[in-house]
Amino acid sequence: MEHDSALYVGLDVHKDSITVAYAAGSGEVELFGKIGTTQADIDRLCKRLQSKARQIRVVYEAGPCGYSLYRQLVQKGFECMVCAPPLIPRKPGERVKTDRRDAVKLVRLVRTGDLSAVYVPTVEDEAFRDLARAWVSAKDDMKRARQWLKAFLLSHGVRYTGRPDWGPAHRRWLSAFSFGNLWQQLAFDELRRTIEDHLAQCGRLEAALREAVLDWRFYPAVLGLQAMRGVQFTTAVGMLAELGDLSRFAHPRQLMAWLGVTPSEHSSGNKRRLGSITKTGNSYARKLLVESAWSYRHPARVSPEIQRRHEGIPKPIIDRAWDAQVRLCRRYRKLAARGKNANVTVVAVARELAGFIWDISRLAMSLAVPREVHAQCNT
């Protein structure tokens, strides 16, 4: 039997089970029960729900299970929302948490519109993001392996007299060094071999990423962002892979808030109190943003490296990147002259840098990029 009123469905999703609750219109919330997570279980659930109403709105919390369930439900014709768990309202003193309670709570909150949806990337964007994250993880593993080798050498009183920057000279010294004890030499060789393996893995992933980005729909934005100071290929790809479609932000302040670089606030009456930044949203994108902002502590100029990246880029993007450099360098000097801490100053610059990233990305997507510029990412 079909009803005209909307059906609100809340799902508490786990690896092996899904707890389902629903409510028809403004009626009481009912518990459907617990189902499995296989395709057949989802199909049976969809048939049962479709027999109850024409319009069905489903919500579940973002978690480690990803967005496959979201795509299955959308394909079935349902309205689906993946909500942000930290932004779910919670009553003070609420101490009991179960799967049933969570499912019922989601139904009530989606009916009143008190949930905040997360951005669900397309299948292609998610695949590119997975590749970019694999590259980042490989670089982190290599960094940890290098730290372990340095700590191992330091614990045995072995010090490199030059600059330990893992350049050719440093690596030649490591390959020629040996311990007198056989067991220590075995441990040293394994640590050194681990670094070489991670280095080769990083090279393979970077080559795959540079090849894949040529066919990515946000490739014009990758080129446009590299026209800015402090934004190279690593930063541009990593940030856009995490941000996704920037057109979903109607104003740059929304992007700043999503990155967590806006100040927290606790105001009451005539008193306005601003605190540290919120640090919400994607931590890796915020890290890249702050690292890029450090380059604006120097006077504004176009280095040969930046000039090389400008080749073939439309002039409006280059002009906007120069405007950003002039403004942000001046901003850093003004805050530093007022005695602000360097870290506080850089975060303030990073907040404005996010606005320029929003503007240049949208500008780059709207302008045609010559095909010959595409070779820049492979250099």
Side-chain angles (χ1 to χ4, degrees):
M1 179 179 180
E2 292 185 351
H3 302 283
D4 293 332
S5 59
L7 187 71
Y8 299 94
V9 183
L11 307 178
D12 190 68
V13 181
H14 294 279
K15 181 180 69 173
D16 299 321
S17 66
I18 301 175
T19 304
V20 186
Y22 67 91
S26 58
E28 290 293 327
V29 181
E30 301 180 28
L31 190 66
F32 183 89
K34 185 174 291 188
I35 66 171
T37 58
T38 64
Q39 183 66 48
D41 295 326
I42 302 300
D43 292 340
R44 283 193 294 268
L45 173 65
C46 292
K47 289 181 179 179
R48 293 283 300 275
L49 295 177
Q50 287 171 340
S51 66
K52 297 178 181 296
R54 294 178 180 175
Q55 183 183 4
I56 302 174
R57 299 190 61 186
V58 186
V59 61
Y60 69 94
E61 297 181 40
C65 296
Y67 306 115
S68 59
L69 178 59
Y70 169 88
R71 297 188 177 107
Q72 293 177 27
L73 295 173
V74 170
Q75 190 176 11
K76 295 289 185 180
F78 295 171
E79 296 181 28
C80 188
M81 172 197 292
V82 183
C83 65
L87 300 180
I88 296 178
R90 288 176 173 82
K91 296 180 181 179
E94 187 177 356
R95 294 293 183 270
V96 180
K97 183 184 183 302
T98 63
D99 294 347
R100 294 183 177 184
R101 283 174 175 260
D102 289 345
V104 170
K105 185 178 183 179
L106 289 175
V107 174
R108 291 171 177 165
L109 291 175
V110 72
R111 189 165 53 182
T112 58
D114 292 331
L115 294 176
S116 300
V118 301
Y119 170 70
V120 179
T122 64
V123 176
E124 182 188 25
D125 292 345
E126 187 176 20
F128 186 84
R129 187 182 66 182
D130 291 339
L131 180 60
R133 287 180 175 179
W135 181 36
V136 173
S137 298
K139 291 193 295 183
D140 290 340
D141 292 340
M142 183 174 63
K143 180 179 178 181
R144 282 191 292 268
R146 286 174 170 178
Q147 289 174 340
W148 290 339
L149 180 59
K150 282 186 175 182
F152 178 79
L153 293 176
L154 184 61
S155 65
H156 292 87
V158 179
R159 293 175 176 83
Y160 178 60
T161 56
R163 184 178 178 182
D165 56 357
W166 301 98
H170 186 206
R171 294 175 64 184
R172 282 196 301 269
W173 177 82
L174 287 173
S175 61
F177 183 82
S178 61
F179 284 90
N181 186 282
L182 176 62
W183 297 340
Q184 288 179 342
Q185 183 63 35
L186 288 174
F188 174 68
D189 290 340
E190 287 299 323
L191 289 173
R192 192 180 59 191
R193 189 176 295 111
T194 300
I195 295 175
E196 297 298 329
D197 292 342
H198 286 310
L199 190 62
Q201 183 186 25
C202 289
R204 292 192 302 269
L205 287 171
E206 183 176 354
L209 195 62
R210 290 183 180 273
E211 182 179 355
V213 74
L214 299 175
D215 299 323
W216 194 32
R217 62 175 179 140
F218 295 126
Y219 182 61
V222 172
L223 291 176
L225 289 183
Q226 291 183 76
M228 303 179 66
R229 183 178 191 172
V231 182
Q232 298 181 0
F233 177 77
T234 303
T235 305
V237 168
M239 189 168 294
L240 286 175
E242 299 296 334
L243 294 177
D245 190 2
L246 286 177
S247 63
R248 61 193 173 99
F249 299 107
H251 195 275
R253 290 195 185 93
Q254 296 179 1
L255 175 59
M256 298 173 191
W258 189 88
L259 289 168
V261 291
T262 55
S264 58
E265 183 174 354
H266 184 76
S267 301
S268 179
N270 296 327
K271 294 183 179 180
R272 186 175 182 230
R273 298 183 181 91
L274 298 178
S276 59
I277 58 174
T278 59
K279 292 186 179 180
T280 58
N282 192 288
S283 60
Y284 179 64
R286 182 171 59 254
K287 171 189 173 184
L288 293 176
L289 180 70
V290 174
E291 287 179 350
S292 300
W294 277 103
S295 64
Y296 293 94
R297 67 187 186 274
H298 304 295
R301 72 183 186 92
V302 178
S303 65
E305 174 65 21
I306 298 177
Q307 192 171 7
R308 185 188 65 82
R309 299 202 301 262
H310 283 177
E311 295 178 2
I313 301 297
K315 190 175 184 301
I317 297 178
I318 298 176
D319 294 341
R320 195 64 178 138
W322 175 249
D323 293 340
Q325 186 173 170
V326 172
R327 176 181 174 86
L328 296 179
C329 291
R330 183 172 63 245
R331 175 72 169 163
Y332 183 91
R333 290 196 304 271
K334 284 186 177 181
L335 292 176
R338 288 164 53 184
K340 292 288 185 179
N341 180 272
N343 293 327
V344 175
T345 302
V346 167
V347 171
V349 172
R351 182 163 52 251
E352 294 194 21
L353 177 60
F356 284 105
I357 289 176
W358 176 86
D359 189 22
I360 291 178
S361 298
R362 290 163 63 97
L363 184 61
M365 293 299 294
S366 64
L367 296 176
V369 180
R371 290 297 301 176
E372 57 269 16
V373 183
H374 292 189
Q376 289 187 13
C377 277
N378 293 324
T379 58

